[in-house]
Amino acid sequence: MKRLHNRFNILVSICILIIGASGVYAQTLDELMTAAVQNRELIKQYLANVEKSKEDIRFVKGNFYPAVDVEYRGSHFDGNLTTFDDYERYHTTTGSMTLNVFSGFKDYYDLKAAHKLHEIENFKLSGVEQDIKLEVSLAFLQIYRDQTFLNVAENAYRLLEKEHKNALLKYEVGILKKNDVLKIKVQMDNAAQEVNRAKTAVVKSLNTLKRIVAKDLNITDLDFSYFDTLPDFLEKAEYEPLLLSRRSELNAFRKFHEAAQLAVKSARSTLYPRADISAGYRNGENDYLPGSGDESEHEFEVQLKISLNIFDGFQKYAGINNAKLDVKNAGYDLAELERDLKTRLKNILLDLDVAFENLKVAQSSQAEAEENLRITQLQFQRGVTTSTEILDAIFFLARAQFNVVDARTRVIGNHFNLTRMIEGFPR
């Protein structure tokens, strides 16, 4: 019975551990990016613009359908108020249908341009999604950076605290002077202030990430395992072709250039004649309600109308020339954007090279600083060195650790920037 009771207790404990573990869930970088895209009103605004562009296509398609109108008009005429029988009731029912059969292909070009504008809105949406995911990535990286800086600051404080305790013991037995103890105490207090500043930086970075993701987060909610290893990079020569083919802003400008060319063709349609065909039906009766009068008349008419503007003060040619200038301006904007993005890409690659070099130097420097602290601590314990040397050794180690964190996070930050340049974040 006792053994059964023990097994039951073990089973209950396992269940509690499983339930507790399921409640602790750390969010990864990919999950944070997805949450930001789902929660941000900015994305919803661009989605609304995409929907509006769909309605614009429907609006332009309406030009290919006939316009149908129905009209009813009832009249009551009283020519002499003193004569009760001297009045007339009358109504007419009219129906008409008009269809444009030719307008210089204007409707065709306008519809193609509307589709181009819809594609542009989709590219804008894709671009703002990439921007938000970059923003999330850099904010997430900043929290990791500040948290790591905090760990370094706390480690330096613990080292100083340990040496301060050792110095007090040596001072009590007369090995150290009081000013040596005070020097360490001053540095320990300064390290405590660095820890407080680092804690504040972590909280501020977390607040920034919460704003970007548009949800409440705690530092314990975040999974920093992404930063355990450095990311993979492409060959340098691979980035520019991907930039030119994938970048949403470039593709949007290309579509705008195509839409501007279609606008030129649409403007030229004013030089051609316009042909409309219409059909109308009219029914009139001498009463208010259809079918209740004793007199009625019917009319049915089919009409073909061809019109051509001969002169409008050169407005047609001004419109065509303006459309041609829009094509040129779109080409200029595209060339400027390509040049700007290529330059930014080159600068990011330069920053990446520097970050890798700095990381290599910082890692070597950290190993040397750790060895220097170990030797200095041994010498300080034997009374061979002064408090200044032990303080310098701790300072050099902390600075070396800071440099490693700084260089490493700059490498990862450049990876995020390169990913954004080539639209590499998953949609």
Side-chain angles (χ1 to χ4, degrees):
M1 185 68 180
K2 183 177 181 181
R3 183 179 299 175
L4 181 61
H5 180 71
N6 291 336
R7 289 180 178 178
F8 177 77
N9 288 338
I10 293 173
L11 181 61
V12 171
S13 300
I14 293 174
C15 293
I16 292 174
L17 287 174
I18 294 174
I19 294 172
S22 64
V24 179
Y25 175 70
Q27 297 190 51
T28 63
L29 176 58
D30 287 340
E31 291 169 338
L32 290 172
M33 289 191 292
T34 301
V37 171
Q38 292 174 348
N39 297 339
R40 291 289 295 274
E41 282 73 14
L42 182 62
I43 291 292
K44 297 173 184 177
Q45 178 183 355
Y46 276 82
L47 283 170
N49 290 337
V50 171
E51 293 301 316
K52 286 177 62 178
S53 65
K54 289 182 181 179
E55 295 303 318
D56 290 338
I57 293 175
R58 288 183 58 191
F59 181 84
V60 177
K61 280 183 177 179
N63 295 326
F64 291 89
Y65 297 97
V68 180
D69 298 286
V70 177
E71 179 183 353
Y72 170 81
R73 179 179 297 179
S75 301
H76 180 189
F77 175 74
D78 191 344
N80 187 347
L81 294 177
T82 59
T83 305
F84 180 76
D85 294 330
D86 190 12
Y87 67 91
E88 182 178 356
R89 297 174 180 175
Y90 193 80
H91 83 267
T92 57
T93 304
T94 306
S96 64
M97 181 181 69
T98 304
L99 176 65
N100 172 253
V101 293
F102 183 75
S103 60
F105 303 105
K106 174 179 172 58
D107 296 335
Y108 171 74
Y109 295 128
D110 288 346
L111 180 59
K112 291 191 69 175
H115 280 286
K116 299 294 181 185
L117 295 177
H118 174 63
E119 293 180 67
I120 290 173
E121 294 300 331
N122 275 310
F123 282 127
K124 288 181 179 180
L125 173 62
S126 177
V128 76
E129 284 183 3
Q130 293 287 311
D131 287 337
I132 288 178
K133 290 185 175 182
L134 173 62
E135 198 176 5
V136 171
S137 301
L138 294 177
F140 191 61
L141 176 63
Q142 186 63 42
I143 296 177
Y144 170 77
R145 176 189 178 96
D146 291 337
Q147 183 65 44
T148 310
F149 278 165
L150 173 60
N151 295 337
V152 173
E154 289 176 339
N155 181 62
Y157 176 79
R158 285 191 294 267
L159 288 172
L160 289 168
E161 187 179 35
K162 177 182 176 182
E163 296 303 330
H164 180 253
K165 290 178 180 178
N166 293 335
L168 284 174
L169 294 175
K170 292 179 180 181
Y171 169 70
E172 290 175 357
V173 297
I175 299 177
L176 284 181
K177 298 178 182 179
K178 187 174 183 179
N179 65 331
D180 290 324
V181 178
L182 293 176
K183 286 180 183 178
I184 299 176
K185 180 64 168 60
V186 170
Q187 289 298 322
M188 187 178 71
D189 293 340
N190 181 71
Q193 295 179 32
E194 291 293 336
V195 170
N196 291 333
R197 282 191 285 267
K199 288 180 179 178
T200 302
V202 171
V203 175
K204 292 168 64 176
S205 299
L206 182 62
N207 289 337
T208 300
L209 181 63
K210 288 193 288 187
R211 178 193 64 81
I212 297 171
V213 180
K215 65 180 296 187
D216 191 30
L217 295 168
N218 295 313
I219 194 70
T220 54
D221 297 333
L222 306 179
D223 179 9
F224 293 111
S225 60
Y226 179 91
F227 304 115
D228 290 345
T229 58
L230 291 178
D232 296 326
F233 292 86
L234 302 175
E235 295 294 329
K236 288 185 179 180
E238 296 181 66
Y239 282 103
E240 185 171 309
L242 291 174
L243 164 68
L244 297 178
S245 62
R246 291 182 180 178
R247 187 79 182 198
S248 294
E249 294 93 323
L250 291 174
N251 288 325
F253 270 110
R254 292 184 185 113
K255 293 299 178 181
F256 184 76
H257 188 265
E258 295 173 6
Q261 292 174 324
L262 292 170
V264 174
K265 296 179 180 180
S266 177
R268 283 177 179 162
S269 65
T270 57
L271 301 176
Y272 296 92
R274 176 184 176 91
D276 296 281
I277 187 171
S278 61
Y281 172 76
R282 178 178 178 276
N283 175 44
E285 296 185 52
N286 62 341
D287 206 336
Y288 286 144
L289 300 177
S292 59
D294 53 6
E295 295 183 9
S296 65
E297 55 183 21
H298 303 272
E299 292 180 0
F300 183 77
E301 179 183 22
V302 178
Q303 185 180 64
L304 174 65
K305 179 181 177 181
I306 300 177
S307 60
L308 176 65
N309 176 260
I310 304 299
F311 181 72
D312 63 349
F314 304 106
Q315 290 181 348
K316 292 188 293 292
Y317 297 99
I320 294 172
N321 291 334
N322 280 334
K324 289 180 179 179
L325 292 173
D326 287 338
V327 174
K328 290 184 178 180
N329 286 335
Y332 299 148
D333 290 336
L334 178 59
E336 285 289 334
L337 181 59
E338 282 188 1
R339 187 179 297 111
D340 177 63
L341 290 175
K342 287 179 181 178
T343 302
R344 288 165 56 186
L345 176 61
K346 291 178 181 177
N347 289 338
I348 294 173
L349 291 173
L350 288 174
D351 290 338
L352 181 62
D353 289 338
V354 173
F356 269 119
E357 288 296 326
N358 288 345
L359 179 59
K360 183 179 179 181
V361 174
Q363 288 173 336
S364 175
S365 177
Q366 179 177 337
E368 294 166 355
E370 289 173 350
E371 179 64 14
N372 177 59
L373 177 61
R374 187 186 68 81
I375 295 172
T376 306
Q377 284 177 328
L378 290 174
Q379 293 175 343
F380 186 68
Q381 290 173 1
R382 296 171 184 173
V384 179
T385 58
T386 64
S387 60
T388 302
E389 291 175 317
I390 191 67
L391 289 175
D392 289 342
I394 294 174
F395 171 76
F396 292 148
L397 175 60
R399 186 172 65 179
Q401 291 173 334
F402 276 124
N403 289 339
V404 169
V405 174
D406 180 71
R408 198 168 187 279
T409 52
R410 287 185 184 276
V411 169
I412 300 173
N414 283 310
H415 167 71
F416 289 145
N417 286 318
L418 287 172
T419 303
R420 171 64 187 98
M421 291 298 290
I422 62 172
E423 301 265 336
F425 291 113
R427 290 198 64 182

